Structure formats: structure tokens, C-alpha cells
Amino acid sequence: MDDPNEPGLADLHIHTSDGDGMASIEEILDSVGGAGELSVIAITEHDDITPALKARERWARGSHGFDLVTGMEVTTRSGHIIALFVDRPIRSFLTPDETIAAIHEAGGMALIPHPLSWLTRSVGERAMNRLLADPETTPDGLEISPSPAARITAARARRLNERWGLPEYGSSDAHFLEAVGSAVTHFPGRSADDLRRALEAGATRAEIRRLVGPAQLGWRKVVRQQWRGLCVTPRKIVGPRVRQLLGRARAGP
């Protein structure tokens, strides 16, 4: 039985096979429940809230020893921003300040994944400084992750965060089942509500627990995931916009 006095552990950035990840929602729920270590997880697919809502429905039908937070990883004009505690889509390709405003308006929290990274779409230093200049657009947290995209700039991001002063949270950015929980957020309490209060109070601590690379996963699996990312993510971003334009065209003037 969990000790209620022990701090909770959360992984706040997980991808599934409903997006560009390799593990199904069911596999992730079963694995997290079986390990019994994490008290909160977040499903955060690229530019699509549907997988998180689907995961919440399946989580609610079971008896799990952990909470699940719905979210999505939003593509902005200047990198990715994670929306947590939202249950409606946040529009892609807004400016970062517009995206954060939309997340907050939806009742969510706006977190910065893999900051400064040039390996994937990431919020850079200049964009961060602009966001921090206005309390209304200040992000709610900065990610520390063992993902390849995050590792290359992690030390610099942490140095800059001594000035930025954002709460740090640990997340795996897992695209493989083996990576879930490879980085965690320590927080007082055990529930998703406790986690949110901890982020708001700056009472979180990030920890990288292990690195999961091609040696453990196998190169064939890694290549398959990269191909999924090239195919799935653009379709999720462009598809809804194309359908919207086609619908307007069919409707006529």
C-alpha cells in the first residue's frame, strides 16, 4: 500500500500509438499500474487531445492506483508547448503567447518541453524571455527530460532557469513503453490535484532516473518510431485544417 506521507511521482509527457508513440494506451495503463511507482501520468499527443480523452475513458473504467491527466503537445510558431489539465483542443501554429493564453483560458497549465533544443521544435531563449516579460504569458513549468532532444540543451536550460525561476518538472517524453517513468516529477501529495498545486507553488523537483536508448530498444524499433513521427504528426496538424477548408469550399459562398 502506498504511504500517504511519501511524495508523489509523476511522468507528465507520454506519447501513445494513437499518435507517434509505439505503445498503445492499454499497454501504458497496464504497465504503469503493474509497476506501481508513478502516482500521476499525463498523455500528451502532438496537436490532438483525442488520445488523452480516450485514455481517460479507459482509465476511468479500471481500478488504477494512479491518476491520469489529459493534455496535448501543441505546435506553436516558436516551438512546442504542453497543455496539461485541458479537455478541449488548443489550436496549433499560434504564437507562444497566444498558445499560453489559450491554455490558461481553457483552465490548463502551460509547460515548456525540451527547452532550447534544436533537434525538435522547441521554445528558444529569445522566445522564453519574451514570454517571461509578461505575467500573463509566463509558462507554468520547464521540463527536464532524458529524451535525446532535451539532453543536448538540458545543462544550458537549467542554468538559464536560475534566472527564469520556473518550476522544474521531470518527464520522459516517452515514445516507447520502456521509457515511461525514465524521468519523474517529485511533488507533495499523490493526486493530480496535488500535482497541480505543487506546480503552482513551485514545489516540484525533477529527476532523471535512467537513459533509454537504441541499445535497449533496438535500432529497428527506433527507426519505425521516427518514421511514425514523420507521417503521423504532420497529418494531425494539417488534416483538420484541410478538412475545414474543404468544408467551406463545398458549402460555397
Side-chain angles (χ1 to χ4, degrees), residues 19-32:
D20 66 342
M22 299 298 288
S24 70
I25 290 169
E26 290 83 358
E27 288 172 327
I28 290 169
L29 295 180
D30 289 346
S31 176
V32 172

Side-chain angles (χ1 to χ4, degrees), residues 30-70:
D30 289 346
S31 176
V32 172
E37 180 181 42
L38 296 172
S39 44
V40 179
I41 66 169
I43 301 299
T44 52
E45 218 54 77
H46 288 283
D47 301 285
D48 188 0
I49 194 67
T50 306
L53 300 180
K54 179 178 171 183
R56 183 173 66 183
E57 289 176 3
R58 297 188 181 183
W59 172 86
R61 292 200 297 266
S63 178
H64 300 287
F66 60 92
D67 280 358
L68 185 142
V69 175
T70 54

Side-chain angles (χ1 to χ4, degrees), residues 77-182:
R77 295 179 196 170
S78 299
H80 292 157
I81 294 178
I82 287 181
L84 280 193
F85 301 99
V86 296
D87 55 12
R88 68 178 196 240
I90 305 299
R91 190 174 145 203
S92 303
F93 290 120
L94 300 174
T95 63
D97 56 307
E98 290 171 333
T99 301
I100 290 176
I103 293 168
H104 288 163
E105 195 273 332
M109 302 190 80
L111 308 179
I112 305 298
H114 41 71
L116 315 180
S117 179
W118 44 265
L119 277 180
T120 189
R121 290 180 178 270
S122 303
V123 176
E125 183 177 355
R126 283 188 296 179
M128 281 290 295
N129 288 333
R130 287 194 299 270
L131 292 171
L132 291 160
D134 184 350
E136 295 297 318
T137 61
T138 295
D140 300 302
L142 190 80
E143 182 179 86
I144 304 299
S145 172
S147 72
R151 286 205 307 270
I152 59 172
T153 51
R156 181 164 167 255
R158 273 191 143 157
R159 285 197 304 271
L160 287 170
N161 201 36
E162 292 176 6
R163 171 164 52 87
W164 294 337
L166 294 176
E168 291 185 353
Y169 68 98
S171 292
S172 62
D173 191 3
H175 290 74
F176 303 93
L177 189 62
E178 295 88 339
V180 174
S182 56

